[in-house]
Amino acid sequence: MITFSVQASPSDAASWCELARRAESAGYDALLVGDHPGGVPAPFVALAAAASVTSTLGLGSYVSNAGVREPALLATDVATLDLVSGGRARLGIGAGHTPAEWRAVGRERPDVAGRVRRCIAVTEAVRALLAGDEVTVESADLVMRAARLDRPHPVGSRIPLTVGTANTELLRWAGAHADVVGLTGFGRTLADGHNHKVRWRAAQLDAQLAAVAAGAAGRNDPPALEALVQKVAVGDGAQAAAEQIAEETDLTVDELLATPFVLIGSPDEIVAAVAAHRRRWGVTRYVVRADALDPLASLLPRLAAIA
């Protein structure tokens, strides 16, 4: 089944709760909040508020920066969200990329290999804590001593894990261990520390998915594949949107429209594109921004029915 989730962030209580209700009513799978300390509202506080006005909507950070989040605190946040939402929490985690987030906590951003090692170590520690284990780690990337999560306990047996990345090593690890691999399509971080070059061409995505498949070899239940959609344009203005983004990303329009990282076109063209992404790459999950909630809502039943 094809599923869509919404990534958003609150600006005030009333509109945030209304957005959560609308997302649930429209049939979105989850409401997700970015995790950039100092740049966006605290995700788990926002998600707890959304939990209070919904009953079926999944809830998670998308994604928490393992470089600046400590496992004991992250596990407590996730378990508490699971408790107050009645078992609807998701654990979303990534290696992080914004240098300012490290500086804000008194650290310097490690190199790529260091960020990947830290992400894996933190993710393993959080999952162990959520499972009720005592965790001790002594490494250059993470130090924990006899950490436990005595309270609260997650509602269910385990909380689903999404790893968001475009890094080959982390994609391979996610293929082996995650429930969902969040394909970001991100390339090199630009000088502003926030934006990226993109890895959206078909050959680049093929390489990313080959890493996931290598990690998943031998698994009976390989992870679901999820694309982080950067732009949705339905109907009027779609062609202009495609031309603008193609120019910004140094892709041709045809290359752009072939990628799952944008959904641009008429309703029929978007349905056809999602079906094509499933056939070629196995992508069955999508995360879209808040401004796509209404434009896509009427298409969700058709998209969910894609076989």
Side-chain angles (χ1 to χ4, degrees):
M1 183 175 174
I2 303 292
T3 65
F4 278 74
S5 298
V6 177
Q7 185 190 50
S9 190
S11 57
D12 63 80
S15 66
W16 176 244
C17 290
E18 179 58 24
L19 184 146
R21 293 188 191 97
R22 284 166 46 215
E24 182 172 77
S25 177
Y28 284 91
D29 182 59
L31 179 60
L32 308 170
V33 180
D35 190 6
H36 295 284
V40 299
F44 295 102
V45 177
L47 291 163
S52 71
V53 297
T54 58
S55 58
T56 61
L57 195 65
L59 303 160
S61 61
Y62 204 86
V63 288
S64 289
N65 178 352
V68 301
R69 294 296 191 189
E70 293 301 323
L73 302 179
L74 182 56
T76 301
D77 282 343
V78 173
T80 303
L81 176 62
D82 204 52
L83 178 71
V84 301
S85 67
R88 291 184 279 144
R90 316 275 178 90
L91 170 58
I93 201 160
H97 57 83
T98 306
E101 293 177 11
W102 274 268
R103 290 196 294 269
V105 296
R107 305 174 188 165
E108 287 300 316
R109 186 182 70 165
D111 61 12
V112 173
R115 297 201 301 274
V116 169
R117 290 194 307 270
R118 165 85 182 187
C119 183
I120 292 171
V122 168
T123 305
E124 290 177 338
V126 171
R127 294 188 89 178
L129 290 168
L130 291 171
D133 299 337
E134 182 175 288
V135 179
T136 294
V137 180
E138 292 276 357
S139 73
D141 304 298
L142 180 66
V143 176
M144 301 173 66
R145 299 186 179 97
R148 294 190 61 87
L149 182 63
D150 292 323
R151 295 182 62 197
H153 297 144
V155 172
S157 58
R158 63 190 302 275
I159 291 174
L161 168 66
T162 297
V163 176
T165 188
N167 173 271
T168 299
E169 182 177 349
L170 197 49
L171 285 167
R172 191 177 296 114
W173 187 88
H177 300 283
D179 299 288
V180 179
V181 177
L183 302 166
T184 65
F186 291 165
R188 178 175 57 85
T189 304
L190 299 178
D192 65 6
H194 297 279
N195 294 305
H196 303 263
K197 290 285 190 180
V198 301
R199 295 175 181 165
W200 290 0
R201 288 186 170 88
Q204 292 171 317
L205 186 52
D206 286 341
Q208 293 167 48
L209 294 181
V212 176
R219 279 186 64 170
N220 294 325
D221 55 342
L225 301 177
E226 182 171 78
L228 176 59
V229 179
Q230 299 296 331
K231 179 66 176 180
V232 173
V234 184
D236 293 343
Q239 182 63 30
E243 291 172 355
Q244 179 182 345
I245 297 171
E247 182 177 356
E248 292 171 351
T249 56
D250 294 326
L251 301 175
T252 68
V253 170
D254 286 344
E255 286 175 328
L256 178 76
L257 296 179
T259 174
F261 301 110
V262 301
L263 294 173
I264 296 174
S266 69
D268 288 345
E269 287 170 336
I270 288 175
V271 172
V274 169
H277 302 331
R278 177 167 188 157
R279 288 193 302 271
R280 175 161 185 177
W281 288 303
V283 175
T284 59
R285 301 171 65 93
Y286 293 83
V287 176
V288 299
R289 312 298 192 188
D291 61 2
L293 191 158
D294 291 329
L296 280 180
S298 64
L299 288 179
L300 290 185
R302 293 178 62 189
L303 294 166
I306 291 172

